[in-house]
Amino acid sequence: MKPKRVPWPRRKKTLVWSLTAALLVVVLMAGHFLCFTPGQAIRAAESHAGTGPTQVVMEGAVGNVPLYLSQNHRAWMVTPFRLGLFYDWRNNGQPLMVIDRSGDPVGVTAGALHFWDGNSDQSQFHLLGYVDLPGAASVVARCTHTAPSSEYTALELTAAIPQTGETAGYFWETVTLPGGTTYLHPDQLTVLDQAGHPLCTYDLTNHWGYASYPLSETR
């Protein structure tokens, strides 16, 4: 006759499962796979991108997910964070856009984000950046390439440059456009003075980030 198996006490089982879950969370956090605060997400993004420590200078949002623009003398980076029940790009510390500032002209840094909603087929574009040039009042981002057919629409984004306050020089403009159209992304940013005269141009070709996300999501 086989000896009767004695079940573990319930408290021991609970303790073992709790320790296992805690260890799993620690491993995920140590490997920058899961974040519980915006600060953790930004530190993880710095590690993924190899930028070194950055400082948050502006905040935006896509849907109800906050976006954090952080920078240092080497790079610009946009990191999303929203703690939810679903593990995805919102809380895993992956930056949506990283810009190497080493080749930028003095006084200008800019980039853009494109979010596409597969449910409504809408597109949301974010134009963000910083300008430190005397007389700079606004920026306009345009596509300099010719559309290959009538199915393509050349996108143009504009933004005013704040002159005072903590965000002086920084701009972050958002526009949501209907679906059914293929948009040609702007590849050139022009900095304008108060009278609309160009002060300089800036190459946006490699300064784009992309993500698919329900713009009206509320979970």
Side-chain angles (χ1 to χ4, degrees), residues 5-198:
R5 186 177 178 182
V6 179
W8 278 18
R10 183 176 298 177
R11 289 183 180 178
K12 286 187 177 180
K13 287 185 177 180
T14 302
L15 178 61
V16 169
W17 281 111
S18 298
L19 291 175
T20 301
L23 179 61
L24 178 61
V25 169
V26 170
V27 170
L28 289 173
M29 291 177 62
H32 300 303
F33 296 112
L34 186 62
C35 305
F36 293 96
T37 67
Q40 288 178 354
I42 294 169
R43 300 292 84 80
E46 293 166 353
S47 177
H48 287 306
T51 63
T54 61
Q55 180 179 2
V56 175
V57 292
M58 272 199 303
E59 296 181 20
V62 52
N64 58 356
V65 176
L67 305 175
Y68 299 89
L69 170 63
S70 60
Q71 69 172 24
N72 58 23
H73 69 285
R74 296 171 51 198
W76 263 38
M77 182 172 65
V78 176
T79 306
F81 177 79
R82 175 175 178 264
L83 185 60
L85 298 177
F86 299 89
Y87 173 68
D88 55 20
W89 60 268
R90 299 171 300 175
N91 61 3
N92 66 3
Q94 289 286 350
L96 293 175
M97 179 176 65
V98 180
I99 297 175
D100 181 1
R101 303 182 69 185
S102 61
D104 284 350
V106 176
V108 183
T109 302
L113 296 166
H114 177 192
F115 296 96
W116 177 70
D117 184 347
N119 296 330
S120 66
D121 203 28
Q122 287 183 323
S123 285
Q124 188 175 96
F125 296 90
H126 297 241
L127 177 65
L128 57 153
Y130 175 72
V131 176
D132 183 20
L133 295 175
S138 63
V139 295
V140 56
R142 296 189 179 97
C143 179
T144 62
H145 302 294
T146 303
S149 71
S150 59
E151 297 178 357
Y152 294 81
T153 298
L155 183 66
E156 181 173 301
L157 302 171
T158 62
I161 302 173
Q163 303 299 313
T164 59
E166 295 181 357
T167 59
Y170 290 93
F171 58 89
W172 191 323
E173 190 69 26
T174 302
V175 59
T176 301
L177 299 174
T181 300
T182 301
Y183 296 99
L184 295 177
H185 295 162
D187 56 8
Q188 186 180 84
L189 182 83
T190 302
V191 181
L192 307 173
D193 63 15
Q194 194 68 41
H197 300 139

